[in-house]
């Protein structure tokens, strides 16, 4: 079972989550940040544990303090489809929290994960106090809308190699570090996780990755990836092979 504790009992690691460093809380009044942090709860999920399911009631948004969360939905055929993979500092669950609707996607821990939970009442009181937070929320919702439109475009207009290239470009930029050999993707994903995220079969994923490895676009080693030619990956993402 998930562990829930009041914020005053949080560990030092939990307290290391700086709300003011997150875009959604950028430039808001320090007293507002303090109030949110004081009322927040801290929750630990074990690997594979469900945070919420499709159709669950929505009453909070979440911030990942440490770990990894998979956001997913279920296709018409009954298969789970990965929508996003979130890591440290990511904010999610805000749409359901704001409109009081049910969850339209599920969230599960991919690793042991620590979360900060901010209740709707706490967040709405902060919105009433600070206009800057309102503007930040508008910015976040616009970003979510753009992201959703891009996902729909991927699903309806792009072939599998393009979808994979777009994910690799995202991983290289947001979860990569420069090395003498290329950009090493530090976010380790299994082939099954990558296949779910790109809506490909594992066989199809392996076929494309092996071909790109032969073309020296990337290297696979010990479950990790090093991207050697990000420019070419971007070309495939935009125009296909």
């Amino acid at each position: 079972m998930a562990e829930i504790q009041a914020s005053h009992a949080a560990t030092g690691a939990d307290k290391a989550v700086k709300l003011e460093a997150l875009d959604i809380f950028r430039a808001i009044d320090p007293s507002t940040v303090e109030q949110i942090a004081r009322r927040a709860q801290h929750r630990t999920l074990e690997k594979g544990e469900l945070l919420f399911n499709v159709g669950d009631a929505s009453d909070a948004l979440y911030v990942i303090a440490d770990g990894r969360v998979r956001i997913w939905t279920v296709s018409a055929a009954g298969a789970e489809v990965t929508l996003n993979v979130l890591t440290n500092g990511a904010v999610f669950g805000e749409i359901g929290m704001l409109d009081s609707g049910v969850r339209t996607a599920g969230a599960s821990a991919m690793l042991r994960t620590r979360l900060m939970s901010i209740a709707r009442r706490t967040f709405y009181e902060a919105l009433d106090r600070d206009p800057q937070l309102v503007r930040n929320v508008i910015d976040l919702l616009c970003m979510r809308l753009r992201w959703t439109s891009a996902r729909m475009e991927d699903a309806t207009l792009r072939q599998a190699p393009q979808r994979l290239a777009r994910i690799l470009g995202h991983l290289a930029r947001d979860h990569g570090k420069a090395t003498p050999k290329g950009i090493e993707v530090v976010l380790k994903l299994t082939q099954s996780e990558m296949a779910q995220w790109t809506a490909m079969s594992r066989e199809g994923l392996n076929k494309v990755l092996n071909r790109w490895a032969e073309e020296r676009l990337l290297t696979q080693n010990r479950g990790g990836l090093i991207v050697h030619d990000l420019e070419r990956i971007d070309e495939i993402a935009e125009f296909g092979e």
Side-chain angles (χ1 to χ4, degrees), residues 25-213:
F25 300 116
R26 183 186 67 252
I28 71 174
D29 189 275
S31 65
T32 302
V33 177
E34 182 181 357
Q35 181 184 44
I36 293 171
R38 187 171 60 250
R39 295 184 180 181
Q41 291 186 320
H42 298 268
R43 179 170 183 169
T44 299
L45 300 177
E46 299 302 328
K47 181 179 179 180
E49 188 171 355
L50 181 71
L51 176 61
F52 54 76
N53 206 342
V54 178
D56 284 354
S58 305
D59 59 0
L61 66 80
Y62 300 92
V63 179
I64 300 177
D66 181 57
R68 188 187 308 166
V69 171
R70 182 171 70 96
I71 307 299
W72 51 271
T73 189
V74 179
S75 70
E80 283 191 9
V81 178
T82 298
L83 300 176
N84 209 351
V85 174
L86 306 175
T87 56
N88 299 5
V91 176
F92 66 99
E94 73 288 337
I95 294 177
M97 183 274 297
L98 288 169
D99 72 3
S100 303
V102 299
R103 298 293 185 188
T104 57
S108 304
M110 300 175 71
L111 307 170
R112 193 172 194 270
T113 299
R114 293 182 299 105
L115 300 166
M116 177 182 287
S117 172
I118 302 172
R120 178 185 295 117
R121 179 176 179 179
T122 296
F123 196 83
Y124 267 69
E125 288 178 0
L127 286 173
D128 289 340
R129 291 180 59 183
D130 200 318
Q132 181 62 47
L133 180 58
V134 177
R135 290 190 285 269
N136 291 351
V137 169
I138 292 172
D139 289 343
L140 177 62
L141 293 179
C142 289
M143 183 180 69
R144 296 289 194 244
L145 180 58
R146 291 178 183 274
W147 178 86
T148 300
S149 297
R151 287 291 296 177
M152 291 179 62
E153 181 180 328
D154 285 349
T156 58
L157 301 178
R158 298 185 189 277
Q159 299 299 313
Q162 286 182 279
R163 297 197 302 272
L164 177 56
R166 286 172 69 85
I167 294 297
L168 289 180
H170 159 66
L171 291 173
R173 289 182 173 85
D174 292 359
H175 304 284
K177 65 177 181 180
T179 72
K181 295 181 180 180
I183 302 174
E184 180 182 356
V185 176
V186 297
L187 176 59
K188 306 300 183 183
L189 298 171
T190 66
Q191 289 187 343
S192 294
E193 290 166 347
M194 182 72 80
Q196 281 187 318
W197 199 356
T198 55
M200 300 172 68
S201 66
R202 286 189 59 181
E203 294 77 9
L205 176 75
N206 278 326
K207 183 178 180 180
V208 175
L209 289 176
N210 288 336
R211 184 170 71 250
W212 290 352

Side-chain angles (χ1 to χ4, degrees), residues 224-236:
L225 284 172
I226 297 177
V227 177
H228 303 302
D229 192 343
L230 184 56
E231 183 177 353
R232 175 58 182 149
I233 293 293
D234 287 341
E235 288 180 0
I236 295 172

